[in-house]
Structures are given as C-alpha cells and as structure tokens.
Amino acid sequence: MHKLGRGHRDKVQQFMAITGSSEKAAVQALKASDWHLEGAFDIFYSQPHIRTVTDSRHLEELYNRYKDPYVDMILVDGITLLCNDLQVDPQDIVMLVVSWHMKAATMCEFSRQEFIGGLQYLGIDTIEKFRDKLSYMRSELKDEQKFREIYNFAFGWAKEKGQKSLALDTAIGMWQLLFAERHWPLVDHWCQFLQVRHNKAISRDTWSQLLEFAKTVDLQLSNYDEEGAWPYLIDEFVEYLTENGIVQRPQN
Amino acid sequence: MSAQKKRNFKIEAFKHRVELDPNYAERTWRVLEHAIHEIYNHNASGLSFEELYRNAYNMVLHKYGEKLYSGLVNTMTGHLKEIARSIEAAQGGFFLEELNVKWGDHNKALQMIRDILMYMDRTFVPSNHKTPVHELGLNLWRDNIIHSSKIQTRLLDMLLDLIHRERTGEVINRGLMRNITKMLMDLGSSVYQEDFEKPFLGVSASFYSVESQQLIECCDCGEYLRKAERRLNEEIERVSHYLDVKSEVKITSVVEGEMIANHMQRLVHMENSGLVSMLVDDKYEDLSRMYNLFRRVPDGLSTIKDVMTSHLRETGKQLVSDPEKLKDPVDFVQHLLDEKDKYDKIIRKAFNNDKTFQNALNSSFEYFINLNNRSPEFISLYVDDKLRKGLKGVSEEDVEVVLDKVMMLFRYLQEKDVFEKYYKQHLAKRLLSGKSVSDDTERSMIVKLKTECGYQFTSKLEGMFTDMKTSIDTMQGFYSSQYSEIGDGPTLAVQVLTTGSWPTQPSAPCNLPAEILVICEKFRTFYLGTHTGRRLTWQTNMGTADIKATFGKGQKHELNVSTYQMCILMLYNSTDQLTYREIEQATEIPPSDLKRCLQSLACVKGKNVLRKEPMSKDIAEDDAFYFNDKFMSKFFKVKIGTVAAQKESEPEKQETRQRVEEDRKPQIEAAIVRIMKSRRVLDHNTIVTEVTSQLQSRFLPNPVIIKKRIESLIEREFLERDKADRKLYRYLA
C-alpha cells in the first residue's frame, strides 16, 4: 500500500470501505479501471468471486456436519461425505483448488480455521453455493498465475507432515493430476524416468523447477540450456530422453 | 727622449677596385687544371702545394668560384671516364683488381685535390649549396664508374660469383673483396644496398633454397641441422671478413628462413631421426643444436615444444594405461620418476632450462598422471616401499632427494585427498607393525606434505606419531605398576590409538584366548585408572603376536603371527583337529578374515603350521585343520602372515573411493556456504567456478556433485533461488 501515491491510497481506502473487499482486490480493480472509482466498482461487481457476506451460523453447521466425532478437524470420512454432497469425486482436482483456497496444511484433512476461513473467503455458506462455485474453481486452473500457485501449493499439501520431501508415488500421482489440466506431453516420460532412475523422494526445489521446465523448454529440448542451473534431476531427465532416443536434440 | 710625434695611421681599403685581368681567371684555372691532370697521372711530386692553394684561393676570392667548381667537375669527370675505360678493358679476374687499384688512386688524388681547394670547400661550396669536394669526388666515381653500364653488372656478377665459389668450397681473395665492399659502403649505404646487398641476399636465398632441398632429401635430421649450423656460421664469418656488419642479421635471416623455417615441420617429424627419436635416445647435442637453431625463427621453439608435449602425453598415457606396468605400483611410480628425470635432464642440458618447456613438461605430467585414478594410491605405495625398506643404507641426502622427487609427482595429482587417505592407511600399517625404516625420514616426509598442503593435511598424521610415543610411555608405566604380579603370563605391548587420527577400521571383536584376556583386563584397568572418561576398544584385526610352538619331533619355533592367527592357534593347545566351523564358532573372527588367516597358516609352503584337509586352496565350511606335527623350517623365528601394504583389491578400492567421495561432500558444501556468505547472491556458473578454485589444492570437484550439494543446501534452507531469475541463488542468513 505504501507504494501507492497519496491520491491512490485514498481511493483504495474508499473502495474498501464501500465494497468491503480486501486491499488486494481494491488495488486490482482500481488499476484495471485506471484509478477511476466508478469504473472500479463496475469491474468489481461484475467479477464472479464477489465477496458476499456469509452467515457464520450456517458455516458452523456445515463444519459440524463434516467434522470428525473425536477430533476438532474434518478428516477422511468427513471429506468423503463432503464430496458426496458436492457430487464430486474425491480424486477430482477441484478438491485441490478448494484446499488451496482454504490454505489447507495437509491433504485429507481440514482444520476448523481452514474450512470456515476458506468458505468465508469464497463467500460460500451452503452446499448449494459451494456446488455452484465448483465450475468457477475449475476455471481458475486455466489461469497461468493461479495454476502456478496451486501447483506449488500442492507440494506442501501432498507431502507427509514433518517430512521435507514428497514421496515419489504421491508426487507422480499429483503430477498426473496436475498435468492433465495443463497439458505437458513429457509428463509420462518424466514419471517413468523417476521410477527407473531415481526412486527417491522429490525435493521442493525439483518440484517447483519442473513446472518452469515444462513451461519454458520446448518438446525438442532445443532451448534447454545445460548451464541453466536446472536441478540435477532435470539434467538427468534430459540425458535420459536423449539416450533413449525419445527426443532428438538438435546438435549445435 | 723627445715625445714622439703622433702619427695618424689609418688603414683603408682600396678606394678603387682592382681590376683583375679577365684572363687571369682563365690562366689560373689552367694551372689548376693542369695540376689535377698531373695528380691523376701520378705526377704530383712536381707540384707546389702553396702555389696551387694560392691560385685556388684567389679564384674564389675574386668571385670565380663557380668557374673553379665546374672546372673541377668537368676535369674529374673526364679522368674518371678514362679510368672507367681502363677498368672495362681488364680481363677476367683482373677486373676487380683494376677497380680496386683505381679506387685507391682516386682516393689519393681526391685528397690532394681537396687540400688544394680547401678554401673553396670552406667558403664557396657551403654558401652556394654545392656538394663538398670529397663527396663530389665520391659521387662522380659512383656515377661514372660504378654505375657505368659496362661496369655495374659486371661488378655485381663478379662479386656474387666469388661468394658463390667460396660457398662451394673455393678459397677466394677476401682482402680484395673487403676493399671492394668497403668502397661501396664509402660511396653511401644506398649504393652498398642497391648495388650489392639486395642482389646478394636474393641470390643467397635461391642458393640456400636449393641446397636445403637437396639436403633434406638425403640427410637425417641431426645431419641436416649440423650442416645448417655450419652454413650459418660461415655466413657470419663471411660478414665479419668482408661485408658490412649490418648485413649480418640480414643474411642470417635468409639462411634461417630457407634452411630452417621452411623445413621445420619436416625436420621435426622426420622418421627415425626427428625430434621424437632424439628425445627417446637422449641425443643432447642434437637437441641442443635444434633448440639453438629453431629459436632463431618464428614459432621455432613452440614447434619443438608442441611436438615434445604431444609425444610426452602419448607415452605418459600409454604408461598409465598399460596393464603390465600397473601390476607393480612401486615399479610404476619408479617409471614415472625416471621419465621425469629424463626430461628434466633434456631440458637442462639441451633446452637451456627454458621455462616454457618446463611448464609444458609439468602440464603433460599433470595430464597423464591423472588419467589413471589409481595414481594417488600407487604414489603412496611407492613412498611406503621406500620408507619401509628401500632407503636402508642410503644416505640421508639421497633420501631427501628421492622424497623431493616424489613430491614433484604429488604436486601433479588432482585428487590429493585420495592420496591422503591412502597415505594414512599405509602409515598406520608401517607404524603399527614397526616396519618404518626411520622415524626421521617419516617426519621429513610429513614436513614436505605440510609445506605443500598446509597444516590441515598433516595434523592427523602427526597425531599418529604422538600416539606411538605416548603408548611407549604408557607401557612403561603399566609394567612398573604391575611389578610383582605378572610372573609367567604373556607379555603385552599395547598401542593406544586415538580414534580420530587413525584410519577407521570397522573392527569386530573376536574371542581372545583366556591367557590373554587376563592381562588385557589388567591393562584396561590400569589405563582407565589414569584416563577416566575414555573408552578402549581392542582392535583385534590389527595386532600381532609372538608364540612359542613345539612340534612333533620336539623342534621349537617362535611364530610371529597376527592376533587373529594367535586366537586360532591357541585353540590347538587343547585339541589336534578342528573344522572350519568349529574355529569360526570358537573365535568369532569374521569369515573373510578367518579364511585369509587359515590360508596363510595352512596353504603357504614353509609356513604351514596347520595341515588342511582337503588340500585345496579354498576354504569350505567342513574343511578340517590339523596341527602340523611335521612342520619344518630352517629358521627358528617364523613369520606368518603380516602383510605389507598392498594395492587394494577391487572391492577395497571401491570402498576407499566411496569414503573419499563422502568426505568431499561436506568440503564442497562448506566452500559453497563460505562463498555465498560473502557474495550473498551469485549465479550458478560463478559458484561452480569459485568452488572449483577454492578446492583445487585438494581435488577437482565434479560440477554435477556441486549442483547436487547446492540443491541439498536449498532443501536445508541455507540457500534459495532468486524469485525473479531462477539462475541466481541467494544466501539465507
């Protein structure tokens, strides 16, 4: 906020007061409207994820419906029930997006704070509203920036509590899921390579750098730079692809 | 005296011009002209210098300088033309002589004429910008004689012909040559250069081109170089005798160009006589000659150096990859040392200790020594061999020399940390088996390593020596404390080793015989009494024992065996026969060690204190071992099984290498952290370069390993990738 000029700051505050939005949303809307308040209101209200006021009582009810009888958390059974209610497969990637919104710490469980806080942010207080929001959440995966955030979030979420790295099987499963949304043709080779040559857990750095790799390096690997400070696993993957003739790298 | 009447003397110029008789000038000139003729006709003695001078003086004074001067020119020219004709008429060899004589005459005449005309030379000539008399005389000579069409070519041809003859072995009149060339020089450097030197150089170039072609076809390299050197010296001598000294560098460069530069490659690569065979056969004289000749031409020395380098690398590579040579490590290293000595000698004796050659030698050695990754191990084994027995009887200075030479090889190693590991192992074996030839030499070697690599390298090694010394003191203390209690029991000598300093050996304890256990316990109590808080573990895989044994016919022997072997043999105090399994059970010695011990006790001729059934070399579970009553040896003391440091077997080698690799990881990480701490943000390639340069005194880190270490540090949150540029890393405080 302190990066904005005085006039802008005032507008942001006004905007927030009127719409009840977050600072981030306010700045976003104002920037998009070139700092005209009226235009900003239009933009804001025409956006789907408008923050409506949620009924905290409903939220409590919802939470209690799914919460585990012995622990103050929603665990596997609760989630299964939730998915049922939403008419969604628990393996559906939209649940990952949901978890991301909730800033869930670990997969297959939600804390009270995570669940209620997340739904509040999304402006959901009933199952119907939740169901309606699902298609929107699916569409978020198409957004480059959000996909990256969700992808990177997935690492911390999918790994075991207290572990630094992600178990290989889980990682492969996540990659299959994620790269079904954002197509990367080499994903199967990657997973195969890992199973054959690496067979160990995946570090966070490797995880996040893989997305960069998938985004920047073309399928012929013609713009792959050996000096590019890629994690060594990725270097080995490139070797693997060339050795096995899967990719013919143009000789320079 | 009366005052003298003052007279007013005034000296005044003539108020009227003294008119000279217009014929006076002509008449005066005729006198002078006549004199010149006489001078040229060798009739000068009849002339009066004073009169002639006065005449010349008067002419100039009365403004007839121009007439005098032009008269001089004409007269001289006339004479010179005549002289030219007489020279032209000279036949054959007399041509040069005639020229020489006439030149001498002309100079003398010129001198006289100049003297006579001195006044004109000093006054009229400068103020009228005329050429002074002497110079005039030279120019006229040049124009009328040297550049006369009938003389010019003939003169040059004669000179060149004479030189050619001299080159082909004839003797010529050098004095005459000198005079002629001096004449040309006197006439002006451009005359010398244009009328002689340039053509001379051109002809010489063709001459040497032809000669070098002929020689290169029929001579071998050494011969050719000798001949080239001779020609070069000839030309230098020629110049000193009858050419202008400035010609020396020009003619030598012609010879160098034609004879050496143009054939450099062919000479160097000549089969059976070129550089390579000279190196192989230590032909110092030929090599020295080649060096001295080639250094005169551009790229000469670098050609020699390059061929030497590639030859050295090739032979070195063969040496380190030849399995025959690798069988005996000590031999292998000796070959390396010999090769180094050979080339040091060549560089010293033939290549003038040239530093660039020394550097080429060093880089070649560094190249091929590191081609074989067992070099560090082998060098350590060589030192082990020398420190163990090789240097007995050799003087101290010689010892130093050998060790210094080994240090030279050590410097070439890229993986010095591997050497350190082996050196430690070998040193431990030497110390513990008491096989080191001399404490001083051991120490001397450590000092050399310390000078080369720093304190860190040798601190543990020094710890080993300290332990040995301390153990002696400990033993003394032990025995004085046990004074009355020992009696007939076995005598113990313990070396207490500090764990960090000695090479780690995983040791599985075996079952010691009861007789030994007693005294061992006594020692343990004694030691821990004075050193509380320490833990002692018996290293049964490293000890030795002396046992007295009595055999079937009563023959007694003293056996020197390893601790393991002692445990095995002591079992035979209660029985004559045991199977492998029983021995294993009783002693709990690890199987691979047990098998080796049994093999040395039962399968080696002259040392078979046990008899094995079946007689095969391999040990099977059911094999039976009998006490060999019939054991015979000419020696009272029989040594069984203490093994000198050997080159490792494959699995051992793998293990050592693995340990080295493991040790390198923290070193690499420490270097990365150090660098990132001070630089804060760095890109990947710079980190790799910096790390490599920091560690190069110990080993050459693999960039892939460095990358892995960086990733490990990222995971442990020492570093992170920069959010904007993924190729940059940041230090996390």
Side-chain angles (χ1 to χ4, degrees):
Chain A
M1 174 85 147
H2 51 272
K3 287 194 199 126
L4 304 171
R6 164 76 72 83
H8 292 182
R9 243 185 286 151
D10 287 343
K11 287 192 178 145
V12 169
Q13 288 190 335
Q14 262 191 295
F15 189 93
M16 281 167 70
I18 295 177
T19 61
S21 70
S22 67
E23 183 190 321
K24 183 169 161 196
V27 172
Q28 231 175 357
L30 278 166
K31 273 197 184 156
S33 71
D34 209 18
W35 296 96
H36 290 121
L37 268 179
E38 271 71 39
F41 289 142
D42 280 334
I43 290 172
F44 181 77
Y45 285 114
S46 65
Q47 277 174 350
H49 57 274
I50 180 175
R51 268 260 228 115
T52 49
V53 176
T54 50
D55 187 333
S56 46
R57 241 178 332 127
H58 285 169
L59 285 173
E60 278 292 332
E61 276 167 23
L62 265 181
Y63 177 69
N64 288 328
R65 175 175 164 73
Y66 302 113
K67 140 176 155 42
D68 185 273
Y70 302 110
V71 183
D72 187 18
M73 299 204 70
I74 301 180
L75 299 179
V76 178
D77 291 334
I79 293 182
T80 318
L81 183 55
L82 172 64
C83 291
N84 235 351
D85 289 348
L86 292 172
Q87 289 155 13
V88 146
D89 189 315
Q91 307 291 345
D92 192 320
I93 197 172
V94 76
M95 291 312 292
L96 171 59
V97 184
V98 169
S99 306
W100 172 60
H101 279 296
M102 294 187 180
K103 304 194 196 338
T106 315
M107 59 161 47
C108 303
E109 54 185 63
F110 293 124
S111 72
R112 168 190 288 269
Q113 166 67 28
E114 289 166 0
F115 186 77
I116 293 184
L119 293 188
Q120 241 172 1
Y121 174 78
L122 289 166
I124 297 170
D125 53 11
T126 64
I127 276 296
E128 291 72 29
K129 285 191 194 159
F130 204 153
R131 233 179 282 144
D132 291 339
K133 263 265 163 28
L134 287 180
S135 57
Y136 166 69
M137 285 196 264
R138 266 191 232 283
S139 76
E140 290 190 291
L141 287 166
K142 301 296 174 213
D143 177 302
E144 253 330 285
Q145 178 61 21
K146 288 193 187 162
F147 181 83
R148 181 197 268 125
E149 287 180 33
I150 293 169
Y151 175 90
N152 282 329
F153 163 80
F155 181 86
W157 177 78
K159 71 173 172 60
E160 297 281 329
K161 265 192 274 221
Q163 291 287 329
K164 268 215 150 109
S165 307
L166 181 58
L168 185 59
D169 293 336
T170 323
I172 289 181
M174 291 305 303
W175 274 319
Q176 302 282 12
L177 201 60
L178 285 159
F179 284 118
E181 292 302 311
R182 189 204 179 280
H183 194 51
W184 183 43
L186 291 174
V187 65
D188 289 326
H189 288 297
W190 169 250
C191 296
Q192 199 174 29
F193 156 75
L194 286 173
Q195 282 166 320
V196 164
R197 297 267 210 112
H198 182 57
N199 232 352
K200 284 184 280 199
I202 301 294
S203 70
R204 185 183 283 276
D205 184 56
T206 308
W207 176 270
S208 63
Q209 290 296 305
L210 182 72
L211 182 61
E212 298 308 310
F213 182 80
K215 280 165 97 168
T216 50
V217 177
D218 68 49
L219 296 180
Q220 298 311 112
L221 304 180
S222 61
N223 61 341
Y224 166 76
D225 179 10
E226 272 116 0
E227 316 277 312
W230 294 108
Y232 83 93
L233 256 189
I234 292 185
D235 290 338
E236 284 184 14
F237 178 55
V238 170
E239 250 179 66
Y240 168 87
L241 291 174
T242 350
E243 274 171 25
N244 292 317
I246 299 171
V247 171
Q248 246 82 34
R249 289 196 67 202
Q251 293 297 323
N252 38 341
Chain B
M1 269 255 188
S2 58
Q4 280 190 316
K5 196 169 156 205
K6 227 183 192 179
R7 300 233 197 125
N8 283 339
F9 266 109
K10 255 206 259 178
I11 299 179
E12 293 172 357
F14 283 130
K15 286 215 163 67
H16 59 278
R17 288 194 79 221
V18 175
E19 276 302 321
L20 261 187
D21 183 351
N23 284 331
Y24 174 75
E26 186 58 36
R27 265 185 290 123
T28 319
W29 165 244
R30 291 272 166 246
V31 172
L32 288 167
E33 189 186 25
H34 172 74
I36 293 175
H37 284 317
E38 291 296 273
I39 289 172
Y40 271 103
N41 292 332
H42 306 287
N43 262 346
S45 51
L47 302 170
S48 159
F49 175 78
E50 191 272 323
E51 184 197 337
L52 296 168
Y53 182 91
R54 191 167 21 97
N55 280 324
Y57 172 85
N58 280 332
M59 278 193 82
V60 173
L61 193 64
H62 291 108
K63 314 259 187 272
Y64 287 102
E66 185 56 51
K67 184 176 173 62
L68 176 58
Y69 193 87
S70 52
L72 170 68
V73 173
N74 291 333
T75 317
M76 231 195 255
T77 308
H79 272 285
L80 289 176
K81 285 200 157 63
E82 220 180 283
I83 292 174
R85 278 192 290 276
S86 97
I87 293 175
E88 285 159 21
Q91 295 290 338
F94 293 112
F95 173 80
L96 281 184
E97 284 193 38
E98 183 70 2
L99 176 61
N100 186 33
V101 165
K102 293 293 184 217
W103 164 253
D105 290 347
H106 174 71
N107 272 317
K108 277 199 219 108
L110 193 53
Q111 180 145 5
M112 281 189 243
I113 294 170
R114 206 263 320 265
D115 287 347
I116 293 171
L117 303 179
M118 179 97 56
Y119 186 73
M120 177 191 77
D121 219 16
R122 284 193 184 153
T123 55
F124 173 77
V125 159
S127 55
N128 287 283
H129 309 293
K130 300 278 188 195
T131 317
V133 172
H134 180 81
E135 201 183 319
L136 174 68
L138 294 181
N139 290 349
L140 290 175
W141 174 272
R142 175 193 68 203
D143 297 335
N144 290 294
I145 312 282
I146 302 301
H147 287 166
S148 120
S149 57
K150 295 213 183 83
I151 292 181
Q152 191 173 26
T153 336
R154 195 168 160 198
L155 171 59
L156 179 61
D157 287 345
M158 275 231 108
L159 291 175
L160 293 180
D161 179 62
L162 283 173
I163 292 176
H164 181 85
R165 294 223 209 133
E166 195 179 46
R167 282 179 178 156
T168 51
E170 282 184 43
V171 178
I172 63 170
N173 185 342
R174 284 182 157 184
L176 179 57
M177 292 289 288
R178 183 170 49 249
N179 288 343
I180 301 291
T181 53
K182 185 147 194 322
M183 169 189 76
L184 294 173
M185 285 188 259
D186 287 345
L187 292 174
S189 64
S190 69
V191 176
Y192 174 79
Q193 278 171 19
E194 294 302 318
D195 287 293
F196 170 71
E197 199 187 46
K198 276 211 186 103
F200 162 68
L201 293 173
V203 156
S204 306
S206 328
F207 174 79
Y208 282 115
S209 167
V210 166
E211 170 153 304
S212 66
Q213 254 331 109
Q214 288 168 349
L215 288 179
I216 199 106
E217 295 298 333
C218 64
C219 293
D220 70 30
C221 182
E223 250 182 275
Y224 181 96
L225 290 177
R226 246 171 286 142
K227 295 207 160 117
E229 190 181 55
R230 200 154 12 113
R231 279 299 189 196
L232 203 54
N233 289 336
E234 255 179 49
E235 293 299 329
I236 295 175
E237 202 215 13
R238 173 165 300 117
V239 169
S240 74
H241 275 109
Y242 57 79
L243 298 180
D244 182 13
V245 69
K246 289 203 239 12
S247 296
E248 180 177 312
V249 66
K250 296 180 197 174
I251 184 63
T252 50
S253 91
V254 165
V255 178
E256 288 157 10
E258 295 298 328
M259 293 208 86
I260 300 172
N262 286 352
H263 298 283
M264 214 158 54
Q265 290 296 329
R266 193 165 162 183
L267 283 168
V268 155
H269 288 115
M270 226 181 236
E271 288 238 9
N272 299 329
S273 67
L275 178 59
V276 171
S277 66
M278 285 184 195
L279 289 172
V280 167
D281 295 331
D282 291 322
K283 292 239 159 72
Y284 300 118
E285 204 193 300
D286 285 341
L287 287 167
S288 176
R289 182 170 301 116
M290 186 187 267
Y291 181 84
N292 285 326
L293 286 174
F294 277 49
R295 89 205 292 197
R296 290 166 165 268
V297 300
D299 293 329
L301 289 187
S302 61
T303 306
I304 299 181
K305 186 171 59 118
D306 290 342
V307 171
M308 182 188 89
T309 305
S310 69
H311 168 72
L312 190 48
R313 285 188 184 211
E314 203 36 57
T315 44
K317 194 166 161 193
Q318 279 170 14
L319 180 62
V320 305
S321 353
D322 181 358
E324 273 305 308
K325 299 239 166 62
L326 293 173
K327 277 200 183 131
D328 180 358
V330 176
D331 207 36
F332 168 76
V333 176
Q334 192 58 53
H335 274 121
L336 289 177
L337 289 172
D338 292 340
E339 192 78 349
K340 179 94 188 4
D341 272 344
K342 177 191 166 85
Y343 278 89
D344 277 342
K345 202 167 170 193
I346 288 177
I347 293 179
R348 196 176 58 243
K349 288 181 90 152
F351 294 154
N352 202 30
N353 268 326
D354 189 321
K355 240 211 156 197
T356 46
F357 281 78
Q358 195 62 49
N359 291 343
L361 174 62
N362 286 340
S363 81
S364 303
F365 263 79
E366 195 176 321
Y367 162 75
F368 64 73
I369 279 187
N370 289 302
L371 285 180
N372 183 342
N373 67 356
R374 295 195 85 165
S375 292
E377 185 194 346
F378 286 5
I379 295 180
S380 176
L381 283 170
Y382 181 84
V383 177
D384 180 77
D385 184 72
K386 294 300 163 211
L387 291 175
R388 190 182 275 273
K389 49 179 157 69
L391 298 177
K392 223 183 295 190
V394 175
S395 77
E396 246 188 67
E397 290 105 46
D398 291 343
V399 163
E400 285 297 307
V401 169
V402 170
L403 291 182
D404 281 332
K405 288 197 178 156
V406 174
M407 284 309 291
M408 292 238 56
L409 292 184
F410 172 79
R411 263 177 225 121
Y412 296 134
L413 288 174
Q414 271 169 358
E415 299 195 293
K416 294 188 172 69
D417 59 344
V418 174
F419 174 89
E420 188 193 354
K421 215 168 206 60
Y422 282 110
Y423 192 80
K424 226 165 130 178
Q425 280 175 21
H426 299 153
L427 176 63
K429 285 206 178 102
R430 285 200 296 279
L431 288 176
L432 293 177
S433 56
K435 285 277 181 270
S436 165
V437 137
S438 129
D439 220 34
D440 284 339
T441 14
E442 292 278 359
R443 293 243 177 225
S444 163
M445 189 63 194
I446 306 260
V447 167
K448 291 189 208 296
L449 287 170
K450 184 148 73 165
T451 318
E452 193 61 35
C453 300
Y455 167 70
Q456 205 199 13
F457 197 88
T458 52
S459 59
K460 296 213 177 106
L461 301 175
E462 290 179 346
M464 288 159 80
F465 283 96
T466 316
D467 281 347
M468 297 301 289
K469 282 239 160 58
T470 317
S471 297
I472 297 177
D473 296 336
T474 310
M475 286 320 295
Q476 277 179 349
F478 175 62
Y479 274 109
S480 42
S481 78
Q482 297 290 314
Y483 181 53
S484 55
E485 296 172 36
I486 302 222
D488 273 335
T491 329
L492 192 62
V494 181
Q495 277 121 357
V496 182
L497 314 177
T498 314
T499 311
S501 307
W502 294 75
T504 42
Q505 304 251 16
S507 160
C510 68
N511 289 339
L512 296 170
E515 300 93 321
I516 307 297
L517 276 175
V518 171
I519 190 152
C520 286
E521 274 315 300
K522 285 207 177 118
F523 179 82
R524 181 194 291 277
T525 323
F526 164 76
Y527 187 83
L528 294 176
T530 39
H531 300 94
T532 47
R534 290 191 185 176
R535 202 175 57 189
L536 288 181
T537 319
W538 293 108
Q539 302 285 296
T540 47
N541 58 338
M542 287 165 92
T544 56
D546 292 326
I547 318 181
K548 288 207 179 71
T550 315
F551 292 89
K553 297 215 178 74
Q555 66 269 42
K556 293 194 200 293
H557 288 281
E558 191 177 290
L559 309 173
N560 174 262
V561 295
S562 71
T563 305
Y564 281 158
Q565 287 164 337
M566 170 198 64
C567 297
I568 298 170
L569 291 175
M570 293 296 280
L571 296 173
Y572 285 87
N573 274 340
S574 39
T575 169
D576 273 339
Q577 184 235 320
L578 288 164
T579 63
Y580 171 84
R581 237 186 256 119
E582 288 169 334
I583 299 177
E584 195 185 359
Q585 243 180 354
T587 60
E588 289 189 15
I589 297 174
S592 56
D593 294 314
L594 181 55
K595 287 194 176 134
R596 266 212 301 267
C597 292
L598 287 170
Q599 275 171 340
S600 21
L601 287 170
C603 306
V604 179
K605 213 172 104 167
K607 318 252 168 132
N608 49 336
V609 291
L610 293 181
R611 192 168 44 89
K612 177 174 171 297
E613 254 170 44
M615 292 267 273
S616 56
K617 242 196 159 202
D618 299 322
I619 314 270
E621 299 263 318
D622 290 319
D623 286 357
F625 292 86
Y626 299 85
F627 185 73
N628 185 7
D629 263 339
K630 299 201 184 60
F631 174 74
M632 294 236 278
S633 170
K634 349 181 225 173
F635 304 107
F636 174 64
K637 292 196 184 176
V638 182
K639 203 168 92 169
I640 305 181
T642 317
V643 179
Q646 283 172 337
K647 68 175 178 164
E648 290 186 318
S649 62
E650 262 312 302
E652 287 174 332
K653 192 177 73 144
Q654 297 292 359
E655 215 196 300
T656 309
R657 180 144 287 273
Q658 226 176 341
R659 266 188 258 143
V660 168
E661 294 294 336
E662 281 304 310
D663 284 345
R664 285 179 181 177
K665 285 187 186 162
Q667 290 178 62
I668 294 178
E669 287 191 359
I672 296 173
V673 171
R674 250 198 318 269
I675 291 165
M676 289 305 294
K677 197 163 176 189
S678 78
R679 307 279 284 269
R680 293 281 143 181
V681 181
L682 264 192
D683 70 284
H684 184 86
N685 287 338
T686 314
I687 295 186
V688 172
T689 321
E690 293 286 316
V691 168
T692 308
S693 96
Q694 272 203 20
L695 293 173
Q696 72 179 33
S697 63
R698 281 185 65 75
F699 62 91
L700 211 58
N702 181 339
V704 173
I705 307 279
I706 297 179
K707 196 182 238 195
K708 288 194 185 173
R709 291 296 101 217
I710 292 178
E711 286 181 37
S712 169
L713 287 169
I714 290 178
E715 194 155 320
R716 280 136 64 199
E717 293 175 33
F718 283 90
L719 302 176
E720 64 175 2
R721 281 186 199 262
D722 184 271
K723 301 211 178 12
D725 179 0
R726 47 169 297 285
K727 288 197 217 148
L728 286 180
Y729 300 105
R730 279 182 186 283
Y731 179 71
L732 290 173

